[in-house]
Amino acid sequence: MSDHDEADLRGRVAVLSTEQKIRLLTGADFWALYPEPDAGLRRVVLSDGPAGVRGETWDERDTSANVPSPTALAATWDCDRVGAIGRLLAAEARRKGVDVLLAPTVNLHRTPYGGRHFECFSEDPLLTARIGVAYVRGLQNQGVGATVKHFVCNDSETERMSVDVRIDERTLRELYLAPFEAIVLEAGAWAVMASYNGVNGSTMTESPLLRSILHDEWGYDGLVMSDWTATRATEAAARAALDLAMPGPAKRFGPWGDALLAAVRAGQVDEALLDDKVLRILRLAARVGGLDGVKGSVPVTPAPADIPRELRATAAASFVLARNEGSLLPLDRSGLGRVALIGPNAEIARTLGGGSATVYPPYTVSPLDGLRAAGLDVAFAPGTLGHLRTAAARAPWLLRPDGSGPGADIRFFSPSGEVIGSEQRDGAVFRWMNGFAAIGVPEQIDRLEVSCVIRATEAGIYQLGATGIGRFRLLADDAVVFDETLTAREGADWGEMLMAPPVRLGPLELAAGQSVAVRLEHYVHTSPMAGAGTFFQLLLEAPHGTDDEEMEAAVALAAGSDVAVIVVGTTAEVESEGFDRTSLALPGRQDELVRKVAAANPRTVVVVNSGAPVLMPWAGEVAAVLLTWFGGQEFGNALADVLLGEAEPGGRLPTTWPASEVGLPSAQPDDRTLSYTEGLFIGYRAFDRDGREPLFPFGHGRGYTTWSYDSITVDCDEANPGTALLAPGGTTPQNLPRTGGSTPPYPPDPPGKPGIAVCVEVRNTGSRPGREVVQVYASRPDSTVERPAKWLAGFAVVDADPGETVTVGILLPERAFQHWADGGWTLEAGTFALAAGSSSASLPLTAGVTLK
Ligand code: BGC
């Protein structure tokens, strides 16, 4: 652990000139801070994001372990498992030279329309807090910094750069700030990211909340960085408790640099403010081992030995078995005949959502790969493809010009037509986000040229093209297919430009086995990133039938197979940073496909591969529904494990799965304002209030065994043998050293009783070992204040063999019984009702607790 002392840090600040200090306050480039030899500070590297550690390169040359989406992590409800994922990410960060991860994202699932829903944990602040604390501890105990983001109320994407969220104080405290509070106070987060949006009239990089809440109330001693390009004002941001403007350098991005120097010289910004900001940068550096003479935090446990195995088990533990009529699942391997694997998401692995959270995994396992690797007799039909964006060219069609494996050669040209650099690449997705310097090519690139061979596997019309922004010229065997400038949609956010830029395709008729030499030219200065980089993909679509033909083939396949497994879902272009969804329906004709396949084969399992809820109007017509999120690189293997019962579908819903779009909060601002008029009533709190039935309730998930809930005891004996007393979520509270003392217990304020201990006895009444998430909800029927009908107060994960009874202790934090009123946390004295069970809609055990 970091052995720095504060006096030493202050001494290092004191030797720096004003210019030196100001230089440190804006990034050196897209992903790094400036080094400062006079302070003994080396270059500190930051990197996205929640689903992996991307590093400084954003393409296939620097791959990263791709963990399941944060919604999946939360669906495990298993803090120990999430802590292990934090450790895995820390090992990845160290391997890739990353000091600080730009994660976790702890905004809430206010509405399922939110584009980054997949990247956040839950609609519930307590579940988000517990999972977030575990994630941050896992990372930081290994000496890698976490950046808790986006502070605060960045719960949707539309107009995220300019929208002002209007929210009442109680809702802000009880819902949206609660995860930040728990993570800052319990896990001692080393960095927080201020979001793009405003809250109640102040843009977050200038917001008084940074100082009043983070510094003054929570005693936060870490760093506040801006989201990328979110710093807008020189003085206002400097006076607020924003420490670091990202990205840099200042002459290209951000309003600090020389302007801040002038403001300090003019006496408009106090130099003491700069000192505090620099101190926080040095403290972060000390913690991650970036300061000379300070040991930094050292790994206390070895890196995970077997990343694939851990990712596979975590994905399986996150899958939610939402429906299983007639116990169709697990499939019995013995005697299992042909499996019809159907659906647009079955062949290409959809392992992550879009935007800054994307990483390049070393490999991915699609459902088709996974089921085949499990030795099943699988026949595949996509069923419907019409709605999918054309994918990047890939094997077996894409070859390097010399025919040596999948990939392409790239040459960079100067304005005078001279070749000034080259790269040999393994794929056809290209992203230079941090200049071209890493490849030794100067910034003055005029155009670049991608060369490859496309070889037809069958005769037919191939669609060849590009997606990106700027001018593209495509040639096939030296004939121009198109020469066109693609422009972004008016008002498009950079997230949208990156994930869903315009597409231009041209047809190419090829005979089976025919090869064609392809050249895609791109004029770099026409990119929106001109000078700093560019991004685009070479696209290729192999011949396929019309959707009607594909659907007919899939239905025939299902009818003639023993079982049908349909994998439907979304993609990283549908669920992404930078824009929200405007419909929760499955894209294209997927609903129709499910209905037709289920009608053709009653033994139909629908696998829903999405990071966030989608509508499932057919849910009552199919035997089994398995919700698998974006499952990370081991998705297909985990799917095979769960379908065959080799792993338990361990997930429980971290968010309500609505039956329709009725009554959901909107993500669309009105005149640059987004009012959280629903107040405390998001997710299950809203469904309860309105008496609406969701499709699948919060906390729901079946698993492969059955449980009886036998007893609940309040204020149980913490020392009772056989009763493991756990913090909510099942992680034993552990202190993480922070500067200046130990971590306060949760809840931090007011001090006093840590909470109420509840013991719940459950029995595995089925015939298989299983895993249950025991959930405890509180309510206050006679309350004098407006409250949800119930709210999650604690939970724990239990494992039990058939017939085994387990008693689990769950600590319900005192905060779970408090509400925010008149500027403080308050407890309404009296009796709270408690209910325990397997989901928010199945709570067989009840008790009461009287609090004063
Ligand atoms: C995102 C952040 C991310 C940053 C750097 C921003 O657009 O909102 O979550 O960490 O980019 O990629």
Side-chain angles (χ1 to χ4, degrees):
M1 287 302 148
S2 176
D3 63 357
H4 73 272
D5 84 62
E6 290 288 300
D8 169 53
L9 296 188
R10 286 178 201 283
R12 291 175 195 246
V13 176
V15 301
L16 300 180
S17 67
T18 311
E19 288 84 347
Q20 282 174 308
K21 290 178 208 167
I22 284 175
R23 198 171 91 112
L24 289 178
L25 302 184
T26 301
D29 59 33
F30 235 71
W31 307 120
L33 276 59
Y34 279 107
E36 179 46 76
D38 287 353
L41 173 67
R42 68 155 165 79
R43 182 172 182 265
V44 168
V45 176
L46 321 174
S47 174
D48 290 307
V53 183
R54 193 170 55 238
E56 294 184 77
T57 308
W58 200 341
D59 60 45
E60 85 288 350
R61 290 168 295 179
D62 189 9
T63 61
S64 316
N66 170 205
V67 313
S69 59
T71 34
L73 298 183
T76 68
W77 293 58
D78 186 339
C79 296
D80 290 339
R81 191 176 278 288
V82 172
I85 290 292
R87 289 196 292 280
L88 184 155
L89 292 170
E92 281 284 280
R94 288 188 172 275
R95 178 177 74 76
K96 304 189 77 161
V98 168
D99 301 297
V100 180
L101 193 66
L102 302 171
T105 307
V106 301
N107 300 115
L108 294 186
H109 293 164
R110 172 177 173 260
T111 169
Y113 295 114
R116 295 180 91 163
H117 189 107
F118 72 90
E119 200 186 316
C120 309
F121 293 126
S122 170
E123 69 189 17
D124 184 83
L126 181 94
L127 180 58
T128 301
R130 304 317 317 162
I131 297 293
V133 165
Y135 185 105
V136 171
R137 281 185 177 147
L139 266 176
Q140 295 194 166
N141 280 344
Q142 303 292 304
V144 172
T147 309
V148 195
K149 68 188 189 184
H150 308 83
F151 190 85
V152 61
C153 294
N154 182 189
D155 308 292
S156 50
E157 294 295 282
T158 307
E159 297 174 19
R160 65 174 169 158
M161 302 282 173
S162 54
V163 68
D164 187 41
V165 169
R166 299 288 163 84
I167 182 170
D168 67 84
E169 178 76 8
R170 181 175 173 207
T171 304
L172 182 63
R173 295 285 182 156
E174 292 186 22
L175 295 189
Y176 299 95
L177 283 173
F180 288 96
E181 180 184 21
I183 295 170
V184 162
L185 287 159
E186 276 188 79
W190 295 342
V192 166
M193 186 186 288
S195 55
Y196 290 119
N197 56 285
V199 171
N200 293 336
S202 304
T203 195
M204 280 313 302
T205 47
E206 299 162 28
S207 168
L209 298 178
L210 298 179
R211 193 176 304 285
S212 64
I213 293 191
L214 281 169
H215 285 199
D216 299 346
E217 277 188 41
W218 299 348
Y220 175 63
D221 69 0
L223 173 105
V224 179
M225 71 178 80
S226 71
D227 201 342
W228 269 229
T229 72
T231 318
R232 297 179 178 113
T234 305
E235 287 133 50
R239 287 199 205 110
L242 180 77
D243 305 311
L244 174 68
M246 285 303 292
K251 62 177 166 4
R252 182 185 289 277
F253 301 101
W256 283 357
D258 290 345
L260 182 53
L261 185 62
V264 173
R265 295 240 158 96
Q268 286 157 344
V269 173
D270 191 342
E271 179 128 9
L273 288 172
L274 305 188
D275 291 347
D276 182 56
K277 297 178 198 304
V278 174
L279 180 66
R280 287 167 186 271
I281 289 176
L282 297 186
R283 199 179 280 135
L284 175 68
R287 286 170 167 161
V288 300
L291 218 49
D292 277 355
V294 179
K295 198 156 96 257
S297 308
V298 289
V300 287
T301 48
D306 190 343
I307 289 179
R309 182 205 286 255
E310 189 154 346
L311 296 184
R312 182 171 179 162
T314 301
S318 78
F319 292 175
V320 177
L321 182 60
R323 179 178 165 91
N324 194 16
E325 293 303 292
S327 297
L328 174 57
L329 292 179
L331 300 173
D332 184 357
R333 191 189 262 284
S334 66
L336 183 64
R338 187 173 69 181
V339 176
L341 182 64
I342 292 168
N345 284 36
E347 193 187 16
I348 296 186
R350 305 291 180 178
T351 69
L352 39 66
S356 61
T358 52
V359 294
Y360 277 79
Y363 63 88
T364 56
V365 183
S366 69
L368 182 57
D369 300 331
L371 266 53
R372 283 202 172 132
L376 299 182
D377 172 12
V378 186
F380 167 68
T384 171
L385 291 166
H387 62 285
L388 290 176
R389 280 173 71 87
T390 301
R394 63 189 203 281
W397 306 285
L398 175 73
L399 297 169
R400 292 214 185 89
D402 63 3
S404 67
D409 288 351
I410 297 185
R411 292 190 301 165
F412 299 87
F413 292 87
S414 71
S416 59
E418 197 191 332
V419 177
I420 50 176
S422 65
E423 291 179 3
Q424 196 175 60
R425 302 292 296 271
D426 295 336
V429 178
F430 309 108
R431 255 175 211 160
W432 295 270
M433 302 299 285
N434 204 13
F436 300 92
I439 52 160
V441 174
E443 305 268 320
Q444 304 77 29
I445 297 168
D446 178 56
R447 88 192 144 87
L448 55 80
E449 230 179 65
V450 178
S451 306
C452 62
V453 166
I454 296 294
R455 191 170 60 202
T457 47
E458 59 180 297
I461 310 269
Y462 288 71
Q463 297 290 340
L464 189 62
T467 184
I469 296 167
R471 182 175 164 204
F472 296 91
R473 186 160 170 260
L474 183 72
L475 298 98
D477 280 343
D478 289 326
V480 177
V481 181
F482 58 78
D483 180 350
E484 210 164 295
T485 298
L486 303 179
T487 49
R489 190 183 62 83
E490 169 117 15
D493 180 279
W494 83 263
E496 179 177 341
M497 292 196 233
L498 200 63
M499 293 314 301
V503 170
R504 173 69 161 93
L505 297 172
L508 211 59
E509 185 158 8
L510 299 175
Q514 186 184 344
S515 291
V516 58
V518 168
R519 199 162 86 226
L520 178 64
E521 297 172 358
H522 172 51
Y523 293 78
V524 171
H525 54 88
T526 61
S527 159
M529 296 192 60
T534 190
F535 54 90
F536 62 95
Q537 303 181 15
L538 172 72
L539 304 178
L540 179 77
E541 196 169 299
H544 58 78
T546 63
D547 263 10
D548 284 338
E549 290 161 356
E550 296 291 353
M551 209 168 286
E552 209 174 294
V555 171
L557 177 66
S561 299
D562 195 4
V563 62
V565 175
I566 318 181
V567 190
V568 292
T570 63
T571 66
E573 295 90 28
V574 173
E575 288 185 57
S576 170
E577 174 179 339
F579 51 94
D580 294 312
R581 284 187 295 167
T582 50
S583 161
L584 304 185
L586 279 170
R589 292 171 66 182
Q590 298 187 80
D591 286 336
E592 183 187 344
L593 175 69
V594 172
R595 283 199 155 116
K596 286 189 166 148
V597 169
N601 190 333
R603 283 164 53 84
T604 289
V605 180
V606 183
V607 176
V608 180
N609 175 204
S610 66
V614 292
L615 299 180
M616 298 189 278
W618 36 259
E621 300 162 30
V622 303
V625 175
L626 186 67
L627 311 175
T628 60
W629 317 107
F630 291 131
Q633 70 192 40
E634 283 285 333
F635 172 44
N637 284 333
L639 181 62
D641 292 344
V642 167
L643 292 177
L644 292 167
E646 281 154 25
E648 173 81 5
R652 303 293 184 267
L653 284 176
T655 216
T656 307
W657 210 280
S660 78
E661 301 194 30
V662 173
L664 302 173
S666 166
Q668 296 302 314
D670 185 7
D671 194 17
R672 302 246 175 257
T673 299
L674 185 60
S675 295
Y676 285 18
T677 47
E678 71 287 343
L680 299 173
F681 299 93
I682 63 169
Y684 64 88
R685 291 162 163 86
F687 281 81
D688 282 352
R689 182 196 55 188
D690 302 346
R692 267 181 296 139
E693 282 290 312
L695 180 59
F696 300 120
F698 178 81
H700 171 73
R702 289 182 186 279
Y704 286 151
T705 187
T706 49
W707 299 85
S708 70
Y709 276 73
D710 295 339
S711 71
I712 180 168
T713 317
V714 177
D715 260 341
C716 55
D717 178 2
E718 303 188 9
N720 184 7
T723 301
L725 186 65
L726 302 174
T731 315
T732 311
Q734 47 182 283
N735 283 348
L736 192 83
R738 303 166 72 225
T739 313
S742 63
T743 309
Y746 186 84
D749 180 28
K753 271 176 70 175
I756 308 295
V758 174
C759 292
V760 179
E761 193 186 336
V762 293
R763 190 160 61 91
N764 179 348
T765 52
S767 54
R768 291 172 53 101
R771 175 182 181 279
E772 176 71 332
V773 178
V774 177
Q775 303 164 36
V776 180
Y777 294 79
S779 59
R780 184 64 191 263
D782 65 346
S783 182
T784 57
V785 287
E786 185 185 42
R787 293 176 189 266
K790 61 176 174 298
W791 60 94
L792 184 68
F795 60 93
V797 174
V798 298
D799 292 290
D801 286 328
E804 192 187 352
T805 294
V806 178
T807 303
V808 64
I810 303 174
L811 192 67
L812 313 180
E814 192 174 44
R815 177 60 57 78
F817 301 97
Q818 294 173 321
H819 66 279
W820 184 266
D822 305 325
W825 291 105
T826 178
L827 179 75
E828 186 186 13
T831 302
F832 288 81
L834 298 177
S838 59
S839 87
S840 62
S842 173
L843 297 167
L845 299 176
T846 54
V849 57
T850 302
L851 299 174
K852 296 200 233 349

